[in-house]
């Protein structure tokens, strides 16, 4: 290695940076993600501060970012057009009519990501029979009208395109000739069955990819000539040019999973619960020798079919606001963020979980970064925190008669936050058949160490692992991650010997495409490792479980073992291969982790 490397995790409150100097020494830096008075972009500012005039070259910058997540949550993506098979213009809006709150009298649907719909007169049957070729002449006018109206992103969703993409490709080519710079075909973005999640995934990709592209270009302009790589939701890295909206939703948290897994294994633990508590939220995860991924999920009211590390998030972070409504305590879900931040940040913010820890002496201002105040050089304001909790304790006493001290009030709020986190851990462990008492709790994130023992006690976990650089482990994990390409394809074939030649041919095609992507990113053939998996389900059901691709008997046995562990029963039914997924990873030379000892 001849130059610098920077591994950056841009979170909701703090941006964490781990830098590896040309001599192998590791440096860390932490700064507020939003501080418009001092800098426009925290990642770029942090890199420049760590370089501090160094003339050594920068080999690479690896980043995990919340840009796409924030754009989705705040509905600030690109103006998007949906082109869909005639008769299905409302299919994505109607969706599955799920009722998460079954007794709610007023159903509030999430805001749509697309602002206009064009129906294309086309239809292709599931067996590939063309019932009606796409009427491109009739489509050209509405497409031009949408383009002239300022829309620049289009998602194309046709029936059965996951098996027969020709009609989508024809519509996409017409959109390209019209001038649309962002075109997301569902058959390319998510070539899997089920129109609704496939369509939603294409819309998300069209909606977020331009936002990501602008951010990537901004960073590239600020750091000219530097190789940029971004963390994907699946736990692997992608070159900046391959980074897509659908793969960016869990970009930051995925780095934490990689760092948690690698550091836990180095410490001799291969069954761990990851506990990543940051300023805005807490992410919990399960690891038992391999990354657990989900292929269908719902985020911010939008269904996605894209491989993601399995993370459950709760709104309980260091910045979660403490509420008292006259009769009960409540923690979150709203957060003080980085601006104004918790009360102790000297920004005029409300009382938060962080303030409760300051009140109880679990955070000592003398050991916390001095990055607060107008000039960004002041410590935490613990005196203000004591005053604010004294006022809150008096309010509680006046309104309820509960004569608790300010310290007891702060502790009560912490118990509520810990209970929320413990319930999240049970969701990804106990509810999936794992005995959590046999695991270690690996804690990281800026607020993890303050709450790890309380969380472990509430779950019956006897071992807590605090790895080196736990406060910036997500950034370290981004540095330890491999370049990854994943491909998926619907199959819908019975799990029997007669079907296996076709299944294996599809897997070979997916592997060839994944390998080609890595080779195009300068990963050498000898460093590529491929994993092939099948998603199986019982015939007549719609819940698939993932197993390694092997012979029919081996896969059925593995499927039934997982089904019994997850649902406590098996069925006497045929098994169907619903889809295949292939993961190709470019195994990078690992950094010398012995350098973790003398980091600054």
């Amino acid at each position: 290695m001849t130059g610098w490397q920077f591994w950056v995790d841009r979170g909701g409150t703090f941006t964490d940076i781990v830098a590896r100097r040309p001599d192998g020494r590791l440096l860390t830096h932490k700064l507020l993600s939003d501080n418009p008075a001092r800098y426009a972009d925290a990642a770029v500012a942090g890199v420049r501060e760590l370089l501090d005039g160094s003339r050594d070259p920068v080999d690479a910058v690896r980043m995990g970012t919340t840009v796409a997540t924030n754009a989705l949550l705040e509905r600030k993506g690109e103006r998007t057009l949906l082109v869909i098979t005639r008769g299905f213009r409302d299919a994505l809006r109607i969706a599955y009519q799920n009722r998460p709150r079954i007794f709610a009298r007023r159903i509030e649907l999430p805001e749509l990501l697309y602002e206009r719909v064009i129906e294309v007169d086309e239809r292709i049957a599931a067996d590939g029979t063309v019932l009606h070729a796409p009427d491109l002449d009739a489509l050209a006018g509405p497409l031009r009208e949408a383009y002239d109206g300022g829309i620049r992103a289009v998602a194309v969703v046709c029936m059965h395109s996951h098996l027969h993409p020709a009609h989508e490709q024809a519509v996409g080519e017409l959109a390209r000739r019209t001038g649309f710079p962002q075109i997301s075909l569902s058959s390319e973005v998510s070539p899997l069955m089920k129109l609704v999640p496939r369509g939603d995934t294409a819309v998300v990709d069209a909606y977020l990819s331009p936002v990501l592209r602008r951010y990537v270009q901004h960073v590239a302009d600020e750091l000219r000539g530097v190789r940029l790589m971004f963390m994907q939701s699946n736990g692997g890295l992608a070159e900046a040019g391959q980074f897509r909206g659908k793969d960016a939703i869990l970009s930051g948290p995925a780095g934490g999973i990689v760092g948690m897994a690698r550091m836990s294994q180095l410490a001799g633990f291969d069954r761990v619960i990851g506990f990543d508590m940051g300023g805005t939220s807490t992410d919990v995860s399960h690891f038992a020798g391999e990354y657990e991924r989900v292929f269908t999920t719902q985020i911010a009211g939008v269904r996605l079919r894209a491989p993601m590390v399995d993370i459950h998030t709760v709104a309980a972070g260091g910045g979660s606001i403490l509420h008292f409504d006259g009769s009960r305590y409540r923690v979150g879900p709203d957060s003080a963020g980085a601006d104004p931040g918790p009360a102790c940040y000297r920004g005029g913010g409300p009382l938060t979980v962080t303030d409760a820890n300051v009140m109880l002496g679990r955070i000592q201002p003398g050991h916390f970064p001095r990055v607060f105040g107008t000039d960004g050089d002041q410590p935490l304001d613990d005196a203000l925190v004591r005053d604010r909790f004294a006022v809150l304790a008096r309010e509680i006493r006046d309104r309820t008669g509960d004569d608790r001290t300010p310290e007891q009030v702060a502790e009560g709020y912490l118990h509520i936050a810990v209970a929320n986190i413990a319930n999240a851990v049970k969701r990804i462990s106990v509810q999936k058949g794992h005995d959590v008492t046999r695991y270690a709790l690996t804690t990281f994130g800026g607020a993890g160490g303050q709450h790890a023992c309380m969380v472990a006690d509430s779950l019956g976990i006897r071992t807590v692992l605090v790895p080196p650089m736990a406060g910036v482990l997500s950034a370290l994990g981004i540095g330890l991650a491999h370049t990854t390409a994943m491909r998926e394809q619907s199959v819908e074939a019975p799990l029997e010997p007669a079907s296996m030649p076709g299944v294996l041919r599809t897997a070979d095609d997916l592997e060839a495409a994944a390998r080609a992507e890595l080779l195009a990113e300068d990963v050498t053939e000898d460093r590529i490792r491929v994993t092939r998996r099948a998603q199986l389900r019982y015939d007549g059901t719609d819940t698939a479980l993932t197993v390694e691709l092997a012979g029919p008997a081996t896969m059925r046995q593995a499927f039934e073992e997982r089904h019994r562990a997850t649902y406590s029963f098996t069925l006497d039914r045929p098994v169907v291969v619903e889809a295949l997924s292939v993961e190709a990873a470019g195994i990078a030379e690992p950094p010398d982790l012995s350098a973790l000892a003398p980091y600054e």
Side-chain angles (χ1 to χ4, degrees), residues 99-177:
R99 291 289 184 269
R101 299 175 60 193
I102 194 168
F103 296 112
R105 298 179 63 187
R106 181 178 179 182
I107 307 299
E108 296 185 3
L109 297 175
E111 181 183 346
L112 290 172
L113 301 186
Y114 54 88
E115 69 173 67
R116 190 181 300 189
V117 182
I118 298 175
E119 292 182 291
V120 56
D121 196 7
E122 67 82 32
R123 195 62 184 268
I124 191 167
D127 63 0
T129 302
V130 177
L131 304 177
H132 195 301
D135 189 346
L136 299 181
D137 292 336
L139 181 62
L143 278 179
R144 170 56 62 182
E145 183 181 342
Y147 184 84
D148 292 342
I151 297 176
R152 293 295 182 267
V154 57
V156 185
V157 186
C158 294
M159 288 290 290
H160 306 304
S161 65
H162 63 292
L163 298 175
H164 312 289
H167 287 188
E168 271 193 6
Q169 291 168 351
V171 173
E173 179 57 32
L174 177 60
R176 191 169 291 106
R177 293 199 303 268

Side-chain angles (χ1 to χ4, degrees), residues 150-342:
I151 297 176
R152 293 295 182 267
V154 57
V156 185
V157 186
C158 294
M159 288 290 290
H160 306 304
S161 65
H162 63 292
L163 298 175
H164 312 289
H167 287 188
E168 271 193 6
Q169 291 168 351
V171 173
E173 179 57 32
L174 177 60
R176 191 169 291 106
R177 293 199 303 268
T178 304
F180 286 94
Q182 174 61 45
I183 302 167
S184 296
L185 306 183
S186 74
S187 55
E188 296 178 357
V189 172
S190 179
L192 301 169
M193 66 179 295
K194 298 182 181 179
L195 178 75
V196 171
R198 175 163 52 86
D200 271 354
T201 304
V203 170
V204 167
D205 192 68
Y207 185 76
L208 296 180
S209 291
V211 177
L212 277 177
R213 195 158 48 242
R214 286 192 290 271
Y215 180 72
V216 169
Q217 188 60 51
H218 163 72
V219 176
D221 289 343
E222 295 290 336
L223 303 171
R224 291 188 179 277
V226 175
R227 185 186 187 191
L228 282 178
M229 304 188 75
F230 284 84
M231 195 69 183
Q232 302 176 95
S233 301
N234 59 32
L237 291 164
E239 290 282 353
Q242 299 288 337
F243 193 42
R244 303 191 63 159
K246 72 181 182 69
D247 298 318
I249 304 300
L250 297 180
S251 173
I257 304 301
V258 175
M260 175 270 295
R262 295 285 294 275
M263 299 306 292
S264 298
Q265 289 177 320
L266 286 173
F269 297 95
D270 58 2
R271 300 167 66 90
V272 294
I273 298 294
F275 168 46
D276 176 9
M277 188 171 184
T280 306
S281 61
T282 293
D283 299 320
V284 295
S285 54
H286 171 266
F287 180 79
E290 64 178 14
Y291 301 129
E292 288 197 351
R293 292 190 175 96
V294 293
F295 293 88
T296 303
T297 189
Q298 183 164 324
I299 297 175
V302 179
R303 288 158 296 272
L304 280 172
R305 291 201 73 173
M308 300 183 182
V309 289
D310 191 6
I311 298 174
H312 186 59
T313 302
V314 291
S320 294
I321 297 174
L322 311 183
H323 298 277
F324 176 68
D325 61 9
S327 60
R328 63 176 182 146
Y329 298 3
R330 185 164 53 85
V331 178
D334 48 340
S335 171
D339 185 15

Side-chain angles (χ1 to χ4, degrees), residues 342-362:
C344 60
Y345 280 17
R346 300 177 182 268
L351 286 175
T352 66
V353 170
T354 294
D355 297 306
N357 282 296
V358 171
M359 184 68 191
L360 295 173
R362 298 182 179 185

Side-chain angles (χ1 to χ4, degrees), residues 467-591:
M469 303 178 79
V472 293
L473 194 67
S474 290
L476 178 63
I478 291 170
L480 299 176
H482 303 306
T483 305
T484 301
M486 297 192 73
R487 293 291 186 274
E488 302 171 280
Q489 180 64 57
S490 285
V491 176
E492 291 299 309
L495 183 62
E496 55 188 34
S499 302
M500 290 309 295
V503 170
L504 293 176
R505 279 196 301 272
T506 301
D508 290 341
D509 291 343
L510 296 176
E511 179 177 335
R515 284 181 177 273
E517 180 178 324
L518 292 187
L519 291 172
E521 296 182 8
D522 298 326
V523 178
T524 57
E525 183 71 43
D526 62 310
R527 289 188 176 274
I528 297 178
R529 303 290 183 270
V530 176
T531 304
R532 304 176 2 154
R533 300 183 178 92
Q535 297 175 37
L536 308 183
R537 59 176 173 81
Y538 282 119
D539 190 22
T541 69
D542 63 357
T543 303
L545 297 174
T546 303
V547 301
E548 296 289 329
L549 182 62
T554 302
M555 286 197 290
R556 177 159 192 135
Q557 180 181 355
F559 168 74
E560 291 184 340
E561 289 175 356
R562 289 207 61 185
H563 200 280
R564 186 177 293 108
T566 304
Y567 301 112
S568 302
F569 68 91
T570 57
L571 297 174
D572 185 18
R573 290 190 185 183
V575 176
V576 174
V577 182
E578 179 179 285
L580 298 176
S581 65
V582 173
E583 176 184 357
I587 308 301
E589 184 176 346

Side-chain angles (χ1 to χ4, degrees), residues 8-17 29-34 39 42-43 64 66 278-280 318-319 337-338 341-342 345 354 368-369 371-372 380 445-447 471-472:
V8 184
D9 172 38
R10 189 187 189 283
T13 304
F14 282 102
T15 290
D16 301 330
I17 303 176
H29 192 33
K30 185 183 285 281
L31 62 166
L32 293 170
S33 293
D34 293 306
Y39 41 76
T66 58
T280 306
Y345 280 17
T354 294
F368 208 82
V371 294
F372 307 102
L380 296 173
V472 293

